[in-house]
């Protein structure tokens, strides 16, 4: 498994897009109808999206997932003295089918209770890396079958949302080591958790220091600059990169504000509106994960991260076969 963790930088292995010049046509032939065909097929089959949330206990991971998809995807455990802190990192996954306007999305969320909660957090990233590689391995084994399924179930992690504690200082050594290792294996989107505990000035200073930490340690979080395919991608993703990590607040309860119901957290100072960009950047995170980059997250997972894993595994297999041939009389 150590070999798999030292995969090449994802930016070096994404296939380039074909740049074939347009062919001169004498009139329309109905190519635009392909979009209708794709839409009909998508309505029938639906989509799969697998997300992992990583961070210490108490940072609002479960609430954030519920807020993102406006449903009870994950039940938040109420804090209790009777519930002990996990002694080791455990991974729990839950799947739901979400339907909106006839389109179905099979959502799988993987949580990592126990991450960073121990006195000794040495190699606490190993179970996370192991789980991600295990999903790649399952997909690879299905691909290698002589008789394959028409649709291979996709359990590969398309995005890992990493919750940074709102310390207001900089990334901890644990954060840096985790991000450095995982960015080569999966799409990672860091967020500042419970951002309402920081003032706006503290939030911006914290974001600036985190961005500097990422640059200093050569950590490329999603969206990676090397994957921008054209000027439009560069403009859109450039704005996103300037705002990462997003400062987010999660809430799954509605409150009445000026005659309208809003998602938010109620404090004695007022209501923190989750979907108000003046209060937090939850909308930016939701737009990135769902409305603008969901398919791109899946494409990079398949064409880059999974491809890196597949190449390493097949090279290992060919090496084993070569050794057997050399030893045979």
């Amino acid at each position: 498994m150590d070999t798999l963790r030292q995969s090449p930088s994802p930016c070096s292995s994404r296939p380039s897009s074909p740049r074939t010049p347009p062919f001169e046509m004498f009139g329309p032939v109905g190519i635009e109808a392909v979009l209708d065909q794709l839409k009909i097929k998508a309505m029938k089959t639906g989509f799969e999206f697998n997300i992992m949330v990583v961070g210490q206990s108490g940072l609002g991971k479960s609430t954030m997932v519920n807020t993102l998809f406006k449903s009870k995807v994950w039940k938040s455990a109420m804090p209790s003295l009777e519930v002990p802190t996990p002694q080791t990192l455990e991974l729990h996954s839950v799947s739901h089918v979400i339907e909106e306007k006839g389109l179905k999305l099979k959502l799988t969320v993987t949580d990592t209770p126990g991450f960073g909660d121990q006195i000794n957090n040495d190699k606490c990233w190993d179970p996370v890396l192991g789980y991600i590689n295990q999903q790649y391995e399952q997909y690879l084994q299905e691909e290698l079958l002589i008789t394959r399924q028409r649709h291979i179930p996709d359990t590969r992690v398309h995005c890992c949302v990493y919750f940074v504690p709102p310390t207001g200082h900089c990334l901890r050594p644990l954060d840096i080591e985790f991000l450095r290792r995982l960015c080569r294996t999966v799409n990672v989107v860091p967020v500042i958790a419970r951002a309402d505990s920081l003032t706006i000035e503290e939030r911006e200073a914290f974001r600036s220091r985190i961005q500097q930490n990422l640059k200093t340690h050569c950590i490329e979080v999603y969206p990676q600059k090397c994957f921008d395919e054209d000027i439009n991608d560069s403009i859109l993703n450039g704005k996103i990169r300037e705002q990462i990590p997003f400062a987010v607040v999660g809430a799954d309860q509605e409150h009445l504000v000026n005659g309208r119901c809003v998602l938010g957290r109620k404090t004695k100072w007022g209501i923190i509106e989750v979907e108000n960009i003046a209060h937090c950047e939850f909308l930016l995170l939701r737009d990135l994960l769902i409305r603008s980059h969901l398919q791109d997250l899946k494409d990079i997972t398949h064409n880059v991260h999974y491809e890196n894993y597949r190449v390493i595994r097949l090279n290992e297999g060919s090496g084993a076969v070569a050794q057997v041939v050399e030893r045979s009389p």
Side-chain angles (χ1 to χ4, degrees), residues 22-250:
F23 186 76
E24 184 178 357
M25 300 175 62
F26 301 104
V29 294
I31 297 176
E32 71 277 1
V34 175
L35 295 176
D36 295 329
Q37 298 173 38
L38 293 174
K39 182 178 180 180
I40 293 172
K41 184 176 181 180
M43 297 290 282
K44 289 181 180 179
T45 60
F47 293 91
E48 296 169 318
F49 187 57
N50 309 317
I51 185 172
M52 173 182 282
V53 290
V54 180
Q56 288 180 310
S57 301
L59 293 181
K61 301 188 297 295
S62 302
T63 304
M64 179 57 62
V65 171
N66 292 341
T67 310
L68 275 171
F69 297 96
K70 292 191 174 182
S71 58
K72 293 290 183 181
V73 176
W74 203 283
K75 294 182 179 180
S76 302
M78 295 300 294
S80 172
L81 296 176
E82 300 177 359
V83 180
T85 301
Q87 295 302 308
T88 57
L89 175 61
E90 303 171 356
L91 279 80
H92 298 155
S93 296
V94 62
S95 295
H96 288 281
V97 175
I98 301 174
E99 186 170 353
E100 182 177 270
K101 295 182 179 179
L103 184 63
K104 294 181 180 180
L105 173 69
K106 182 183 178 183
L107 174 69
T108 299
V109 180
T110 302
D111 193 8
T112 55
F115 176 85
D117 293 337
Q118 312 306 318
I119 296 176
N120 182 7
N121 291 301
D122 186 37
K123 296 184 178 180
C124 63
W125 46 79
D126 280 355
V128 178
L129 282 167
Y131 176 85
I132 294 171
N133 285 328
Q134 182 184 8
Q135 308 317 306
Y136 290 153
E137 182 66 24
Q138 289 180 7
Y139 196 91
L140 176 62
Q141 293 304 320
E142 288 288 341
E143 278 194 331
L144 294 177
L145 292 176
I146 296 177
T147 304
R148 297 190 293 184
Q149 300 182 54
R150 185 175 180 180
H151 173 71
I152 300 177
D154 188 3
T155 61
R156 298 168 297 181
V157 178
H158 301 127
C159 180
C160 173
V161 179
Y162 186 76
F163 286 69
V164 179
T167 62
H169 302 298
C170 59
L171 290 177
R172 303 165 301 169
L174 171 63
D175 301 323
I176 293 173
E177 191 63 26
F178 179 87
L179 292 170
R180 188 179 66 82
R181 291 171 179 267
L182 249 73
C183 281
R184 292 178 173 270
T185 308
V186 68
N187 300 311
V188 179
V189 177
V191 298
I192 300 173
R194 295 194 177 279
D196 53 319
S197 63
L198 301 172
T199 66
I200 295 178
E201 293 77 13
E202 290 172 340
R203 181 196 304 175
E204 292 306 317
F206 190 31
R207 190 204 317 272
S208 179
R209 283 191 287 268
I210 291 176
Q211 291 175 345
Q212 186 59 45
N213 290 153
L214 296 176
K215 184 177 180 180
T216 300
H217 295 276
C218 300
I219 299 172
E220 298 182 59
V221 297
Y222 183 87
Q224 300 90 332
K225 188 174 183 178
C226 55
F227 291 163
D228 295 343
E229 295 185 347
D230 52 39
I231 187 63
N232 292 328
D233 279 355
S234 298
I235 295 173
L236 174 61
N237 292 337
K239 293 179 180 178
I240 294 173
R241 284 188 284 266
E242 291 176 357
Q243 295 170 309
I244 282 183
F246 299 130
V248 298
V249 177

Side-chain angles (χ1 to χ4, degrees), residues 136 157-158 187 297-306:
Y136 290 153
V157 178
H158 301 127
N187 300 311
L297 285 163
K298 297 182 65 173
D299 290 343
I300 292 180
T301 297
H302 181 75
N303 296 328
V304 180
H305 298 301
Y306 169 69

Side-chain angles (χ1 to χ4, degrees), residues 322-329:
Q323 290 180 3
V324 172
V325 172
E326 290 176 359
R327 293 174 183 175
S328 61

